[in-house]
Amino acid sequence: MVYREQEKEKRKNDTAELEKKLKFRGRLAWDLLNDKEKEEAFRFAEGYKSFLDRAKTEREAAREIAQAAREAGFQEDCLPGAGKKFSFVNKDKSIALAVLGQAPLAGGIRIIVSHIDSPRIDLKQNPLYEDADMALLRTHYYGGIKKYQWVTIPLSLHGLIVKSDGSILNVVIGEDPQDPVFVINDLLPHLSGKTQDQKKLAEAIEGEKLTAIAGSLPFTDAEAKERIKLGIMELLHQKYGLIEEDFISAEIELVPAMKARDVGFDRSLIGSYGQDDRASVYTSLQAILSLEEPPRTVVALFVDKEEIGSDGNTGAKSLFLESALRALIERAGLPVTEALLKQILSNSKALSADVEAALDPNYPEVHEKQNAGKLGYGVCLEKFTGARGKAAASDARAEYVGEIRRIFNAHNVAWQMTEIGKVDEGGGGTVAKYLAIYGMDIIDCGVPVLSMHSPFEVTSKADIFEAYKAYRAFVSTP
Ligand code: MN
Ligand code: MN
């Protein structure tokens, strides 16, 4: 009897050991962190939240990155030598930071690319009009938004306006608690039955109805036409010297006026606008700022326009990376030749740092649980993105996935291998494929996000910290 009990116990232990050895299962990042590291993760989140509040637009993000880089000794004109830090700004909307490494450039460099634009509501070029005795602003939204999420929330206005004399006016209204805000109104439920409620969610609110309320005080002369609009124009002229035509050469963006906040009783999560993709921007920025003399040259690339397809002269499809690398070759004291440029690019290794969908507890049906990104399980690797049959995916090769896995494991990074949703459910793309054309290895890698593209996206502080650890491990590896 005793013998049989012992035998049973031994078999149980053997099975447990075998399961531990053979089975792959993700682990909560929190379980891998000791008390000191948990504290560090919470502290890291404070810096991240403050960055989110200061960098709500692509221009503000580029400015914040450039400033942090300047303070860390990055220069546009650096000298050759390992540890030298180089920055390269493109039209105030995309930026490359580089730290020269010990190994020759020709062997390839390590690149982390992330995007600094986020979905938002842009003003049209001729936006101001008057209706129902209110001044309103016409808009054209930017990126993939669910329109119903953007009505009846306080919006702040961030803009750059080029006036008729060529001078530039920067305005931010709605971020200071004393500032007024803007809002897109919505129909009351009492009257929305036919107009909205019976329609499909995506059609219930039309793009042209996303107009923001801009005022209601009439111009003093009761005989004037469109008195409310004129009143607003007079105010804008007195305060900023603006005329209506100035809107034509302006980029004015409406973004949620809310600040980044802790979410949950235990403060383990972060809620904020713009975490796609500033979660990757901030963590990769901190990773490159922490470098002294990396084994290989490291480039952190921050690009614009990802949310609308990466086109344009500040997007990932532009030749900005090539221009930055030509400048880098020159700073490294080497002759700039196309052959060397191509050699560097094709020998390089890259992470496309972009966020991933987190498994939504309310909608598990869109995910395939075994391969879904889970909040709190660390940084997500995505071998491929794309939609329905991996269409338009970069699809990293297994050899490279193996290399990244080894790097992360060697540095105790909590990571998970994920794909965005069920095979036939939908999908998305990132900038990975635009860098893959050079021949470099590249894989998507970023934190899981709940409510992605909404005005208040949610991430885990553990995942943010693990992303930083992952990017730092990647750029510190020979
Ligand atoms: Mn993104
Ligand atoms: Mn996105």
Side-chain angles (χ1 to χ4, degrees):
M1 192 61 191
V2 172
Y3 173 77
R4 278 187 61 189
E5 279 301 315
Q6 279 175 343
E7 176 79 345
K8 222 172 133 189
E9 187 63 22
K10 186 181 178 302
R11 203 180 312 141
K12 209 172 122 192
N13 286 342
D14 286 352
T15 307
E17 212 163 281
L18 196 70
E19 279 188 323
K20 199 176 164 205
K21 187 173 153 191
L22 299 184
K23 278 193 172 171
F24 170 68
R25 61 166 72 90
R27 285 176 301 171
L28 269 174
W30 294 117
D31 287 337
L32 300 175
L33 299 173
N34 61 33
D35 287 350
K36 206 178 138 231
E37 289 164 329
K38 274 182 202 164
E39 239 173 68
E40 213 182 323
F42 273 89
R43 202 168 38 244
F44 190 84
E46 291 306 305
Y48 172 51
K49 284 190 295 178
S50 139
F51 177 80
L52 288 168
D53 292 343
R54 284 178 281 124
K56 286 196 170 182
T57 67
E58 76 287 10
R59 286 178 191 275
E60 288 167 2
R63 195 187 59 210
E64 287 293 325
I65 294 163
Q67 192 185 323
R70 248 192 323 275
E71 284 164 12
F74 284 77
Q75 294 177 327
E76 301 231 333
D77 246 328
C78 78
L79 295 166
K84 289 292 187 297
K85 294 168 177 179
F86 167 59
S87 67
F88 193 81
V89 180
N90 175 29
K91 298 176 172 63
D92 297 331
K93 283 184 173 228
S94 51
I95 176 166
L97 301 181
V99 181
L100 291 175
Q102 294 156 15
L105 279 176
I109 62 175
R110 291 199 175 265
I111 300 172
I112 302 183
V113 56
S114 57
H115 67 90
I116 55 177
D117 61 320
S118 295
R120 57 178 194 249
I121 312 277
D122 285 348
L123 293 201
K124 287 194 184 191
Q125 294 324 116
N126 188 8
L128 188 62
Y129 73 107
E130 175 177 332
D131 199 358
D133 295 302
M134 279 185 282
L136 294 142
L137 296 164
R138 296 189 196 280
T139 69
H140 193 143
Y141 61 93
Y142 174 100
I145 63 164
K146 293 166 87 172
K147 299 184 200 83
Y148 72 86
Q149 295 177 333
W150 294 75
V151 297
T152 67
I153 59 165
L155 299 168
S156 59
L157 179 153
H158 296 236
L160 178 142
I161 301 149
V162 182
K163 294 197 216 173
S164 48
D165 65 356
S167 63
I168 285 175
L169 172 74
N170 280 293
V171 252
V172 177
I173 303 169
E175 292 298 333
D176 188 293
Q178 303 300 318
D179 282 355
V181 293
F182 300 83
V183 68
I184 298 168
N185 70 292
D186 193 16
L187 204 50
L188 63 171
H190 316 62
L191 296 178
S192 64
K194 279 188 217 148
T195 312
Q196 288 182 330
D197 304 356
Q198 308 303 321
K199 289 185 183 165
K200 286 184 189 162
L201 191 63
E203 291 158 10
I205 294 172
E206 293 158 33
E208 291 296 349
K209 293 196 196 293
L210 293 179
T211 60
I213 296 173
S216 67
L217 276 182
F219 181 68
T220 42
D221 179 0
E223 300 300 309
K225 280 186 207 151
E226 292 188 314
R227 292 172 66 207
I228 315 289
K229 175 174 171 175
L230 192 58
I232 294 293
M233 281 316 315
E234 189 191 30
L235 187 150
L236 293 178
H237 188 65
Q238 281 168 356
K239 191 154 186 199
Y240 304 110
L242 289 181
I243 57 169
E244 191 173 12
E245 195 182 293
D246 291 333
F247 280 117
I248 301 292
S249 48
E251 285 177 331
I252 302 175
E253 307 174 7
L254 294 173
V255 296
M258 303 167 280
K259 305 278 183 212
R261 302 289 294 266
D262 288 344
V263 172
F265 288 119
D266 58 7
R267 297 178 170 265
S268 59
L269 306 162
I270 299 168
S272 171
Y273 165 69
Q275 299 203 69
D276 173 9
D277 185 30
R278 290 177 200 127
S280 315
V281 170
Y282 183 75
T283 46
S284 61
L285 173 65
Q286 294 310 312
I288 194 168
L289 292 182
S290 75
L291 290 176
E292 289 302 331
E293 283 185 28
R296 274 180 198 279
T297 294
V298 171
V299 169
L301 194 63
F302 305 94
V303 295
D304 181 29
K305 300 273 190 282
E306 194 276 343
E307 295 296 356
I308 54 169
S310 295
D311 296 291
N313 60 2
T314 53
K317 282 190 203 165
S318 76
L319 301 178
F320 172 55
L321 175 60
E322 289 186 29
S323 312
L325 282 187
R326 277 194 199 93
L328 182 69
I329 294 169
E330 206 184 317
R331 301 299 185 282
L334 300 168
V336 183
T337 66
E338 288 309 292
L340 177 58
L341 178 69
K342 282 186 177 150
Q343 200 180 359
I344 295 170
L345 282 164
S346 64
N347 285 335
S348 289
K349 291 170 180 181
L351 293 182
S352 162
D354 206 345
V355 295
E356 162 70 308
L359 178 79
D360 188 320
N362 293 323
Y363 301 95
E365 63 269 28
V366 303
H367 302 282
E368 181 271 287
K369 271 188 172 173
Q370 187 168 330
N371 288 282
K374 295 183 196 73
L375 223 59
Y377 279 76
V379 72
C380 299
L381 280 171
E382 281 173 280
K383 186 177 181 297
F384 50 86
T385 56
R388 297 179 181 86
K390 301 190 181 183
S394 165
D395 203 5
R397 64 197 176 111
E399 293 90 329
Y400 189 53
V401 179
E403 186 181 334
I404 297 299
R405 183 183 143 203
R406 284 198 300 279
I407 293 175
F408 288 179
N409 283 341
H411 289 81
N412 287 318
V413 173
W415 60 272
Q416 43 186 332
M417 178 56 91
T418 65
E419 59 177 280
I420 187 165
K422 276 186 179 164
V423 174
D424 291 329
E425 200 66 47
T430 66
V431 301
K433 58 183 171 182
Y434 309 121
L435 274 71
I437 53 172
Y438 293 112
M440 70 179 72
D441 277 312
I442 186 162
I443 184 168
D444 283 292
C445 178
V447 301
V449 176
L450 270 181
S451 311
M452 196 194 291
H453 284 202
S454 80
F456 200 68
E457 303 171 315
V458 173
T459 58
S460 156
K461 288 184 181 177
D463 297 335
I464 296 290
F465 188 58
E466 294 301 323
Y468 163 64
K469 278 169 61 186
Y471 299 149
R472 198 180 50 183
F474 175 75
V475 293
S476 310
T477 300

